[in-house]
Amino acid sequence: MDEIKNVAKILKNSKQAVALTGSGISTGSGIPTFRGKDGLWNKYDPEKFTMEYFMKNPKDFWSTAKNLFLPLINAFPSKSHYVLAELEEMGIIKAVITQNIDGLHQKAGSKNVLEIHGNGKKLKCLLCGEEYEIENFIDEINKNNVPLCKKCHSILKPDAVLFGELLPKKTYLNSIYYSYTADVMLVIGTSLLVEPAASLPFSAKENGAKIITINLEKTPLDDLADYILKGYSDEILDKILNEIKNL
Ligand code: CNA
């Protein structure tokens, strides 16, 4: 409990607090993580989520990918997403850097969200760059047809970053900026096994930020973190918010 109180004080007194989130924050919304017992990689082959596979086998890609991307349409934010949005509204959190592609931070009300792995609810034409909402292609995708651009008829890719694809440049540069300028970084629900996101908290620490991790398990950051809060992010963030409100 003392740890929660201390973290609440640190956040309340911060000038540039930033959150880095991973798939663990969305488990309360019913979206599984990649790794772990119930992780998506136990069900689907990660080899099918490479740029190369998509380009060579778009039909097969979509017949698997639909199981990951279509459920995002009707997902609702978890308590954790709402707490981060409220902390931003209170002027405490300045940015949420997320590896998630589910759009739930924005749905909960967060404004400054850096989606460094893109957004799985959007589709992008690789040829003309036109963007679409995936919900306009549900029937096509469910029929195992490859969604096609309405302008140039080329194949559409989810606007989520596939393995072997570059990160969206401006968003990634912004995430580096926020990591280097943060005085506190909350690192929530990420195994920190995916680069370059995994390095961001180390950059923040190097520049003097206090690091607070919230995770069910150990992470590679534990030796460096100032506070390691073990448990469900929904419960821990709710406690932190209540503590901040009582300060
Ligand atoms: P990961 O490697 O699957 O790790 C998830 C982490 O979350 C683990 O360390 C768990 O211990 C932890 N965790 C799980 N549930 C909770 C919880 N309730 N509270 C606190 N911690 C919890 O996922 P990462 O995000 O680290 O990996 C990055 C990948 C996952 C990115 O490329 C994402 O695009 C991708 N991904 C995103 C989503 C999504 O958008 N919701 C879902 C699945 C995968």
Side-chain angles (χ1 to χ4, degrees), residues 23-24 26-27 29-35 38-40 43-44 71-72:
S23 60
S26 295
T27 54
S29 301
I31 303 172
T33 59
F34 271 169
R35 296 170 186 83
D38 303 317
L40 291 166
K43 236 169 140 186
Y44 304 107
L72 303 181

Side-chain angles (χ1 to χ4, degrees), residues 222-241:
D222 284 10
D223 289 342
L224 210 83
D226 297 274
Y227 288 91
I228 300 162
L229 305 178
K230 219 168 177 192
Y232 290 96
S233 62
D234 285 356
E235 290 169 16
I236 293 173
L237 283 169
D238 193 36
K239 283 184 191 158
I240 293 173
L241 179 67

Side-chain angles (χ1 to χ4, degrees), residues 153-189:
H153 309 293
S154 180
I155 54 175
L156 295 176
K157 187 187 124 344
D159 201 14
V161 175
L162 301 180
F163 294 119
E165 195 182 2
L166 294 176
L167 303 193
K169 192 172 168 193
K170 185 165 175 262
T171 309
Y172 178 52
L173 288 177
N174 284 346
S175 74
I176 293 176
Y177 165 80
Y178 278 107
S179 301
Y180 273 93
T181 56
D183 57 0
V184 180
M185 186 180 264
L186 273 175
V187 183
I188 310 165

